[in-house]
Coordinates of all heavy atoms in Angstrom, one line a residue:
P38 N 52.4 23.2 50.1 CA 52.5 21.8 49.6 C 51.2 21.0 49.6 O 51.0 20.2 48.7 CB 53.6 21.2 50.5 CG 54.2 22.3 51.1 CD 53.3 23.4 51.3
R39 N 50.4 21.2 50.7 CA 49.2 20.5 50.7 C 48.2 20.8 49.5 O 47.6 20.0 48.9 CB 48.5 20.7 52.0 CG 47.2 19.8 52.2 CD 46.5 20.1 53.6 NE 47.3 20.0 54.7 CZ 47.7 21.0 55.4 NH1 47.4 22.3 55.1 NH2 48.5 20.8 56.5
Q40 N 48.2 22.1 49.1 CA 47.4 22.5 48.0 C 48.0 22.0 46.8 O 47.2 21.5 45.9 CB 47.3 24.0 48.0 CG 46.6 24.7 49.2 CD 46.5 26.2 49.1 OE1 47.2 26.7 48.2 NE2 45.9 26.8 50.0
E41 N 49.3 22.0 46.6 CA 49.9 21.4 45.4 C 49.6 19.9 45.4 O 49.4 19.4 44.2 CB 51.4 21.7 45.4 CG 51.7 23.2 45.3 CD 53.2 23.4 45.4 OE1 54.0 22.4 45.6 OE2 53.7 24.6 45.1
A42 N 49.7 19.2 46.5 CA 49.4 17.8 46.5 C 47.9 17.5 46.1 O 47.7 16.5 45.5 CB 49.7 17.2 47.9
D43 N 47.0 18.4 46.6 CA 45.6 18.2 46.2 C 45.4 18.4 44.8 O 44.6 17.6 44.1 CB 44.7 19.2 47.0 CG 44.8 18.8 48.5 OD1 45.2 17.7 48.9 OD2 44.4 19.8 49.3
T44 N 46.1 19.3 44.1 CA 45.9 19.5 42.7 C 46.5 18.5 41.9 O 46.1 18.2 40.8 CB 46.5 20.9 42.3 OG1 47.9 20.9 42.6 CG2 45.7 22.0 43.0
T45 N 47.6 17.8 42.3 CA 48.3 16.8 41.5 C 47.8 15.4 41.8 O 48.1 14.5 41.1 CB 49.8 16.9 41.7 OG1 50.0 16.7 43.1 CG2 50.3 18.2 41.2
A46 N 47.1 15.3 43.0 CA 46.6 13.9 43.4 C 45.7 13.2 42.4 O 45.9 12.0 42.0 CB 45.9 14.0 44.7
P47 N 44.7 13.9 41.7 CA 44.0 13.2 40.7 C 44.7 12.7 39.6 O 44.5 11.7 39.1 CB 42.9 14.3 40.4 CG 42.9 15.2 41.5 CD 44.3 15.2 42.0
E48 N 45.6 13.5 39.1 CA 46.5 13.1 37.9 C 47.3 11.9 38.3 O 47.5 11.0 37.6 CB 47.4 14.2 37.5 CG 46.6 15.4 37.0 CD 47.5 16.6 36.5 OE1 48.7 16.3 36.6 OE2 47.0 17.6 36.0
T49 N 48.0 11.9 39.5 CA 48.8 10.9 39.9 C 47.9 9.6 40.1 O 48.3 8.5 39.7 CB 49.4 11.1 41.3 OG1 50.1 12.4 41.2 CG2 50.4 10.0 41.7
A50 N 46.7 9.8 40.7 CA 45.9 8.5 40.8 C 45.4 7.9 39.5 O 45.4 6.8 39.3 CB 44.5 9.0 41.6
L51 N 45.3 8.8 38.5 CA 44.8 8.3 37.1 C 46.0 7.6 36.5 O 45.9 6.5 36.0 CB 44.5 9.4 36.3 CG 43.1 10.2 36.5 CD1 42.9 11.4 35.7 CD2 42.0 9.1 36.5
V52 N 47.3 8.1 36.7 CA 48.4 7.4 36.1 C 48.7 6.0 36.9 O 48.9 5.0 36.2 CB 49.7 8.4 36.3 CG1 50.9 7.5 35.9 CG2 49.5 9.6 35.4
E53 N 48.5 6.1 38.2 CA 48.8 4.8 38.9 C 47.7 3.8 38.5 O 47.9 2.6 38.4 CB 48.7 5.1 40.4 CG 49.9 5.9 40.8 CD 49.9 6.2 42.3 OE1 48.8 5.8 42.9 OE2 50.9 6.7 42.9
A54 N 46.5 4.3 38.3 CA 45.3 3.3 38.0 C 45.6 2.8 36.6 O 45.2 1.6 36.4 CB 44.0 4.1 38.1
S55 N 46.1 3.6 35.7 CA 46.3 3.0 34.4 C 47.3 1.9 34.3 O 47.3 1.1 33.4 CB 46.7 4.2 33.4 OG 47.9 4.7 33.8
F56 N 48.2 1.9 35.2 CA 49.3 1.0 35.2 C 49.1 -0.2 36.2 O 49.8 -1.2 36.2 CB 50.7 1.6 35.5 CG 51.3 2.4 34.2 CD1 51.1 3.7 34.3 CD2 51.8 1.7 33.2 CE1 51.5 4.4 33.2 CE2 52.3 2.5 32.1 CZ 52.1 3.8 32.1
A57 N 48.2 0.1 37.1 CA 47.9 -0.9 38.2 C 47.2 -2.2 37.6 O 46.3 -2.1 36.8 CB 47.1 -0.3 39.3
P58 N 47.7 -3.3 37.9 CA 47.1 -4.6 37.4 C 45.8 -4.9 38.1 O 45.6 -4.5 39.3 CB 48.2 -5.7 37.7 CG 48.9 -5.2 38.9 CD 49.0 -3.7 38.7
E59 N 44.9 -5.5 37.4 CA 43.6 -5.9 38.0 C 43.8 -7.1 38.8 O 44.4 -8.1 38.3 CB 42.6 -6.2 36.8 CG 42.2 -4.9 36.1 CD 41.1 -5.2 35.1 OE1 40.0 -5.4 35.6 OE2 41.3 -5.1 34.0
T60 N 43.2 -7.1 40.0 CA 43.4 -8.3 40.9 C 41.9 -8.9 41.0 O 41.9 -10.0 41.6 CB 43.8 -7.9 42.3 OG1 42.9 -6.9 42.7 CG2 45.3 -7.3 42.1
Q61 N 40.9 -8.3 40.5 CA 39.6 -8.9 40.6 C 39.1 -9.2 39.2 O 39.4 -8.6 38.2 CB 38.5 -7.9 41.2 CG 39.0 -7.6 42.7 CD 37.9 -6.7 43.3 OE1 37.0 -6.2 42.7 NE2 38.1 -6.5 44.7
A62 N 38.2 -10.2 39.1 CA 37.6 -10.6 37.8 C 36.7 -9.5 37.2 O 36.0 -8.8 38.0 CB 36.9 -11.9 38.0
R63 N 36.9 -9.3 35.9 CA 36.1 -8.3 35.3 C 34.7 -8.9 34.9 O 34.6 -10.1 34.6 CB 36.7 -7.9 34.0 CG 38.1 -7.3 34.2 CD 38.7 -6.9 32.8 NE 40.2 -6.5 33.0 CZ 40.9 -6.3 32.0 NH1 40.6 -6.6 30.7 NH2 42.2 -5.9 32.2
E64 N 33.7 -8.0 35.0 CA 32.4 -8.6 34.6 C 32.3 -8.6 33.1 O 32.6 -7.6 32.4 CB 31.4 -7.7 35.2 CG 29.9 -8.1 34.9 CD 28.8 -7.2 35.5 OE1 29.3 -6.3 36.2 OE2 27.7 -7.6 35.3
P65 N 32.0 -9.8 32.5 CA 32.0 -9.9 31.1 C 30.9 -9.0 30.5 O 29.9 -8.7 31.0 CB 31.7 -11.4 30.8 CG 31.1 -11.8 32.1 CD 31.6 -11.0 33.1
R66 N 31.1 -8.7 29.2 CA 30.1 -7.9 28.4 C 28.9 -8.8 28.2 O 29.0 -10.0 27.9 CB 30.7 -7.4 27.1 CG 31.8 -6.5 27.3 CD 32.2 -5.8 25.9 NE 32.6 -7.0 25.0 CZ 33.8 -7.4 25.0 NH1 34.8 -6.9 25.7 NH2 34.1 -8.3 24.1
K67 N 27.7 -8.3 28.2 CA 26.4 -9.0 28.0 C 26.3 -9.2 26.5 O 26.4 -8.3 25.7 CB 25.3 -8.3 28.6 CG 25.3 -8.1 30.1 CD 24.1 -7.5 30.6 CE 24.1 -7.5 32.2 NZ 22.9 -6.8 32.7
R68 N 26.1 -10.4 26.1 CA 25.9 -10.7 24.7 C 24.6 -11.6 24.6 O 24.3 -12.4 25.5 CB 27.1 -11.4 24.1 CG 28.2 -10.6 24.1 CD 29.4 -11.2 23.4 NE 29.1 -11.5 22.0 CZ 29.9 -12.2 21.1 NH1 31.1 -12.5 21.6 NH2 29.6 -12.4 19.9
G69 N 24.0 -11.6 23.4 CA 22.7 -12.4 23.3 C 23.1 -13.8 22.8 O 24.3 -14.0 22.5
G70 N 22.2 -14.7 22.7 CA 22.5 -16.0 22.3 C 22.5 -17.1 23.5 O 22.5 -16.7 24.6
L71 N 22.7 -18.3 23.0 CA 22.6 -19.4 23.9 C 23.8 -19.3 24.9 O 23.7 -19.7 26.1 CB 22.6 -20.7 23.2 CG 22.6 -21.9 24.1 CD1 21.4 -22.1 25.0 CD2 22.7 -23.2 23.1
F72 N 25.0 -18.8 24.4 CA 26.2 -18.9 25.2 C 26.6 -17.6 25.6 O 27.8 -17.2 25.7 CB 27.2 -19.6 24.3 CG 27.0 -21.0 23.9 CD1 26.5 -21.2 22.6 CD2 27.1 -22.1 24.7 CE1 26.2 -22.5 22.2 CE2 26.8 -23.3 24.4 CZ 26.4 -23.6 23.1
S73 N 25.7 -16.7 26.0 CA 26.1 -15.4 26.5 C 26.7 -15.6 27.8 O 26.2 -16.4 28.7 CB 24.8 -14.6 26.7 OG 23.8 -15.2 27.6
R74 N 27.8 -14.9 28.0 CA 28.6 -15.1 29.3 C 28.2 -14.1 30.4 O 28.8 -13.0 30.4 CB 30.1 -14.9 28.9 CG 30.7 -16.0 28.0 CD 30.8 -17.3 28.6 NE 31.9 -17.2 29.6 CZ 32.2 -18.1 30.4 NH1 31.3 -19.2 30.6 NH2 33.2 -18.1 31.2

């Protein structure tokens, strides 16, 4: 079971990460101009 858990852990982590809400502010994309955020 430990080997099976190791092989499925990355897929599970990816699925959980895709549905997990963000709790930290995202860094905005860099844009040129006077009002680049």
